[in-house]
Amino acid sequence: MSFSVTILGSSSALPTPARSLTAHLVNHDERFFLIDCGEGTQIQLRKLKAKSLKINHILISHLHGDHVYGIFGLLSSMSMMGRKQDLYIYCDPRLETIIKSHFNYFNDTISFQIIYKPFHPKKVQNIYDDGKLEIVAFPLKHRIPCMGFVFREKPKEKRINKFFIDELGLGIKDIVNIKRGNNYVLPNGEVILNEKLVLPSGPLYSYAYCTDTRPLESIAGYIKGVDLLYHEATFLNEDAALAKTTYHSTAGDAANIALKAGVKKLCIGHFSQRYKHESFFLKQAKYVFENTILAEDGLCIQICS
Ligand SMILES: [Zn+2]
């Protein structure tokens, strides 16, 4: 089982020589999810030798250009590479119209089917569930409707300790009952508790993605205890007024949310290119939340391996 996040772009608004525009590649057990798709995302994928054709799900947080302009080129390239597999796009409902009109205008045909999964851009909702992993979208506070995403592994099916199958002579019906979480009752009425009959299921891992947003207390409730939180930190603390008027967060804001939510690790990114040294972001965030790292393009963070 693998669960990792690769930062494809960590700059806000404008790309720099060192930082591309926002996009993250999430690998959960060899299923690939792309979150946001700033201009240049497909180049980043190529640089990192990530196979774009393996991406079957694209999530778009909001309709600002620095988070979405890369999708047109990426879809076009996927088509040129002969993709046949369906692609799911989770987005503000208006993106479907935008993508369709773009390809209509350029008289470009796409070789595969795009299945749009529009979400309500202001409500908490479950947008994906495959039995192993679920993704919940929740509203952030930005100049336009914008969603955060939390990926959580789902409880795995209980596995019976094989020793007890022979020892107790368990039949199919008993096994199904135990897998459902029930206790087992011996003919003499003695009860064997479920947790004694099943193997430990192991920890469940999680990842949350929050950009772009003003600091918002409600976020902490949605992302409680996640293993890794990516939170935007567009500005340094001394530019808090600017962060407020542009509906973004400072390094300190991101760290406060991490602290409130009790997350295990914080990664900050979406830096404004006005600053020369990102080390100040790290210093300001660590002052509040020690286990903080800076997003770097190409950085792969293992949530579990
Ligand atoms: Zn934005």
Side-chain angles (χ1 to χ4, degrees), residues 117 157 183 220 224 230-231 290:
K117 296 277 188 182
E157 190 185 50
N183 298 330
K224 209 117 210 113
Y230 175 84
H231 196 290
E290 173 57 29

Side-chain angles (χ1 to χ4, degrees), residues 158-169:
K158 293 189 178 219
R159 289 179 302 141
I160 295 188
N161 185 336
K162 286 196 175 122
F163 168 80
F164 290 109
I165 296 179
D166 292 337
E167 182 74 9
L168 302 172

